[in-house]
């Protein structure tokens, strides 16, 4: 069995980075074959598949520099490892919290155990052909939701997932953008991305109000002279008259839609 397989199907679909964590060769091959069949159905562009069958390989999934996967098919009973697939998933989520876990097992008695850890699906191995497509559809839905709910940034080799709903404002200073989030004290994240790039990713609830600032419109509580007031009684500068007008218009639109 190949330890890595990349299956190209059709342009215009998203690539899924997939890991299969299974120590029984029979099921490892079966899962890979099911994925290949789904890829051939032209529902996805590329499946980037990595196989983890040995305990030494499985430990790499929670190492400091562990690779990030969109989804991991995780066997619950890993014979060569000193922990279960459930415990392994917990360690993976400490590093990559957005990775989707699909638990697989030959034994139905594990059904209740899987709720100890976040997962998107549970597959009983004898019924893999029935539930594999449904599990992947659920993964796609969850990934779309997570992309909207979290801002994924990298800075100085540190990977962070910022909850979008917690963001108050962003400040650009020289080559660094600081993202300020709710909390006591405020939680801060740094990135090299420009304000314009971040706003494009964050969507319509965010607006640049000054050449060095952008604000989460949903956090605005009022306006002062050339400043916008946000929750926590903090104020953010507004640049010129046109920027002030645009911020007020966008705020009024959001207020109207509530």
């Amino acid at each position: 069995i190949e330890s890595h397989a990349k299956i190209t199907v059709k342009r215009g679909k998203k690539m899924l980075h997939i890991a299969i964590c299974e120590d029984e060769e029979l099921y490892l091959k079966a899962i890979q074959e099911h994925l290949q069949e789904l890829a051939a159905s032209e529902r996805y562009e590329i499946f980037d598949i990595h196989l983890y069958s040995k305990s030494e390989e499985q430990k790499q999934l929670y190492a400091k520099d562990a690779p990030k996967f969109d989804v991991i098919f995780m066997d619950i009973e890993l014979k060569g490892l000193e922990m279960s697939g459930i415990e392994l998933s917990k360690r993976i989520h400490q590093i990559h919290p957005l990775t989707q876990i699909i638990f697989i097992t030959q034994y139905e008695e594990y059904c209740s155990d899987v709720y100890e850890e976040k997962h998107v699906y549970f597959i009983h191995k004898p019924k893999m052909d029935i539930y594999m497509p449904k599990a992947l559809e659920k993964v796609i839905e969850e990934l779309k939701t997570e992309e909207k709910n979290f801002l994924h940034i990298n800075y100085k080799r540190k990977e962070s997932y910022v909850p979008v709903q917690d963001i108050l404002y962003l400040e650009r200073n020289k080559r660094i953008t600081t993202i300020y989030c709710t909390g006591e004290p405020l939680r801060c994240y740094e990135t090299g991305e420009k304000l314009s790039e971040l706003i494009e990713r964050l969507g319509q609830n965010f607006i640049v109000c000054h050449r060095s600032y952008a604000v989460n419109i949903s956090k605005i509580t009022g306006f002062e002279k050339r400043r916008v007031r946000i929750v926590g009684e903090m104020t953010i500068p507004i640049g010129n008259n046109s920027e002030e007008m645009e911020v007020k218009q966008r705020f009024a639109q959001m207020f109207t839609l509530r």
Side-chain angles (χ1 to χ4, degrees):
I1 300 176
E2 296 180 23
S3 61
H4 176 263
K6 187 172 286 189
I7 310 163
T8 303
V9 179
K10 184 180 179 182
R11 294 187 180 276
K13 301 291 184 180
K14 180 178 177 179
M15 181 185 347
L16 279 182
H17 299 282
I18 298 174
I20 304 172
C21 192
E22 166 63 69
D23 53 13
E24 291 190 42
E25 187 172 327
L26 175 67
Y27 289 114
L28 191 70
K29 185 177 181 181
I31 296 169
Q32 188 176 14
E33 288 177 350
H34 277 300
L35 288 172
Q36 289 171 340
E37 289 173 7
L38 288 172
S41 70
E42 300 193 354
R43 301 185 73 170
Y44 310 99
E45 180 184 2
I46 297 175
F47 283 167
D48 181 27
I49 304 172
H50 296 254
L51 308 181
Y52 292 81
S53 60
K54 299 180 175 61
S55 58
E56 295 79 14
E57 297 169 344
Q58 293 160 359
K59 289 176 181 178
Q60 296 171 12
L61 290 168
Y62 62 88
K64 187 176 181 180
D65 56 348
K68 180 180 180 296
F69 292 102
D70 293 310
V71 57
I72 298 178
F73 287 86
M74 178 68 69
D75 187 15
I76 293 177
E77 193 176 67
L78 298 170
K79 300 181 179 64
L81 205 61
E82 67 276 8
M83 67 184 81
S84 69
I86 296 172
E87 181 59 37
L88 178 56
S89 298
K90 290 179 181 179
R91 297 197 183 192
I92 292 169
H93 276 152
Q94 289 174 358
I95 303 167
H96 299 302
L98 301 190
T99 293
Q100 306 296 314
I101 302 292
I102 296 176
F103 285 121
I104 51 175
T105 184
Q106 191 173 353
Y107 309 103
E108 290 187 320
E109 58 263 32
Y110 285 117
C111 287
S112 58
D113 294 342
V114 299
Y115 292 100
E116 295 178 15
E117 180 55 20
K118 177 185 174 185
H119 66 289
V120 293
Y121 222 92
F122 175 89
I123 296 178
H124 188 212
K125 288 178 180 178
K127 299 178 181 178
M128 199 179 301
D129 57 333
I130 298 173
Y131 293 107
M132 179 81 79
K134 296 179 181 180
L136 279 175
E137 287 299 323
K138 186 75 182 296
V139 163
I140 297 296
E141 291 176 12
E142 289 293 326
L143 288 172
K144 288 179 180 178
T145 301
E146 298 290 8
E147 284 176 1
K148 292 178 182 178
N149 293 342
F150 290 87
L151 177 68
H152 178 211
I153 56 174
N154 280 291
Y155 186 65
K156 292 184 177 179
R157 297 185 179 181
K158 182 181 179 182
E159 189 175 42
S160 299
Y161 297 89
V162 185
V164 173
Q165 66 177 7
D166 291 350
I167 298 175
L168 295 169
Y169 69 98
L170 304 86
E171 179 183 9
R172 182 73 175 178
N173 186 10
K174 296 181 180 178
R175 295 178 179 273
I176 299 174
T177 300
T178 304
I179 303 169
Y180 294 90
C181 298
T182 55
E184 290 290 342
L186 294 182
R187 290 176 291 127
C188 300
Y189 301 86
E190 292 183 339
T191 176
E193 288 187 68
K194 297 178 181 178
L195 282 178
S196 57
E197 296 170 342
L198 290 165
I199 295 305
E200 185 176 347
R201 292 174 58 197
L202 286 167
Q204 60 183 7
N205 280 3
F206 291 80
I207 187 171
V208 175
C209 58
H210 183 281
R211 65 181 181 182
S212 300
Y213 291 89
V215 66
N216 184 345
I217 302 171
S218 67
K219 303 297 184 183
I220 294 176
T221 59
F223 295 88
E224 299 176 8
K225 186 177 181 180
R226 285 291 173 87
R227 299 188 76 85
V228 58
R229 190 170 64 252
I230 59 176
V231 294
E233 297 304 310
M234 291 176 285
T235 61
I236 310 299
I238 296 177
N240 52 44
N241 289 335
S242 62
E243 287 172 328
E244 182 174 16
M245 185 178 297
E246 185 178 0
V247 174
K248 287 182 176 179
Q249 287 177 345
R250 292 275 297 278
F251 174 71
Q253 290 170 1
M254 176 172 283
F255 186 78
T256 303
L257 293 172
R258 286 176 181 173

